[in-house]
Amino acid sequence: MRAALLVCVAAVVGWPGRRLRMGPRRGMVLGAAAAVVIGLLVGGPVLAVVAAVYAGLGGRALLRRSARRRALAERQLAIAKLAGLAADLRAGLPPSGEEFAPGRIGRLITSVWRLAERTGAPAADLVERIEADARAADRAAASATAQAAGAQATAVLLAGLPVGGIGLGLAIGADPVGVLLHTPLGGACAIGAVLLQGGGLIWSERLMVGASQLAAGDSAAEGAAFEAAASFGAGASR
C-alpha cells in the first residue's frame, strides 16, 4: 500500500503533461504536499510535519533567491539605460523613448521630465544624478548584505546542529530517530525544534533584509526629496 502511494505521488510530481505545468509557488506547494505524504508513509505524522516545515523553508528560500536575482537583473538593466540616456542627452540627441520598468527609477525619470519641462532644468544633469544615486544605493546594500552574511551563515549552521546530535546518538548506540518519531515526548521535542529552527532562519533573513534596506534608506530619502522638488516645481510654474 505504501509503495503504491509513493508511486502515485512520484507520478503526480513528475507528470510531464501540460495541465500540471504551474508557477513556482504552486510547484512549492505541490512539493511540500508530496513531502508530507512521503513523510507520513515513511515515518508517521511527526516526520510528515518535519518534512513539511523543511520543504516549505527550502521552497521559500529558492523563491526568494530567484526573486532577488530577477530584481537585481532588472535594476542593473535600468541603471544601464540611465547611463545611455544621460550620454544621449549630453550629446544633444533626443531620448530614445525606451520606457523604464515601474519602480523608483521610473518615477524619478518621470519627475525629471516634469521638472525639465516646467523649470528648464538640464535633464542630463538630473539623469546623471539619479544614476549616481542608484549606484551608491546598490553599493550600500551590497556592503550591508556582505556584513550580514556571517550572521546568516551562523543561523544556518546552528539549524543544522540537531542533525549532528542525531548522528552522535546513533554512533553511541542509542535510537534517537525512534524516540523522536514514535514517542509522544520525542515527537513534541522534534516538532518544537523544527518550528523554532524555521522561525530562527526566517528571523535572521528578515534582519539581513532590514539591514540592506536601512543602508539604502539615505538614498531613498534623497530620491523622495527629489520627487517632491519636481512636484513642487511643476506646481509653482502653473
Side-chain angles (χ1 to χ4, degrees):
M1 181 65 179
R2 290 186 176 182
L5 288 176
L6 289 175
V7 171
C8 292
V9 171
V12 171
V13 173
W15 186 261
R18 293 183 178 179
R19 292 183 179 180
L20 292 179
R21 292 181 181 178
M22 56 189 65
R25 291 186 180 276
R26 292 186 178 180
M28 184 187 71
V29 173
L30 181 59
V36 170
V37 173
I38 294 174
L40 185 62
L41 295 176
V42 173
V46 176
L47 185 57
V49 174
V50 172
V53 173
Y54 281 135
L57 289 175
R60 180 178 182 273
L62 292 176
L63 287 178
R64 292 181 70 87
R65 178 178 297 180
S66 176
R68 285 195 298 268
R69 289 180 177 177
R70 186 167 55 252
L72 179 60
E74 292 177 354
R75 184 170 177 83
Q76 290 177 347
L77 178 60
I79 293 177
K81 290 180 181 179
L82 280 176
L85 178 59
D88 290 343
L89 293 174
R90 285 294 184 189
L93 299 175
S96 60
E98 190 174 9
E99 296 183 357
F100 289 82
R104 178 170 171 267
I105 293 180
R107 294 194 304 269
L108 289 176
I109 290 298
T110 302
S111 300
V112 164
W113 301 137
R114 186 185 302 119
L115 190 62
E117 290 176 359
R118 300 292 183 179
T119 66
D125 294 340
L126 298 176
V127 172
E128 288 180 349
R129 179 179 174 182
I130 295 174
E131 180 191 359
D133 171 70
R135 294 187 185 278
D138 285 352
R139 288 193 297 268
S143 177
T145 301
Q147 293 177 6
Q152 181 73 8
T154 302
V156 174
L157 179 62
L158 292 176
L161 285 180
V163 178
I166 292 175
L168 181 61
L170 292 174
I172 63 177
D175 186 20
V177 177
V179 172
L180 291 174
L181 296 183
H182 303 295
T183 63
L185 181 59
C189 291
I191 294 175
V194 169
L195 293 178
L196 288 175
Q197 284 181 357
L201 290 174
I202 294 174
W203 180 58
S204 63
E205 183 182 2
R206 287 185 178 276
L207 287 178
M208 186 174 65
V209 173
S212 301
Q213 293 177 349
L214 182 62
D218 294 338
S219 177
E222 183 179 354
F226 179 80
E227 290 184 75
S231 300
F232 176 78
S237 62
R238 291 179 180 177

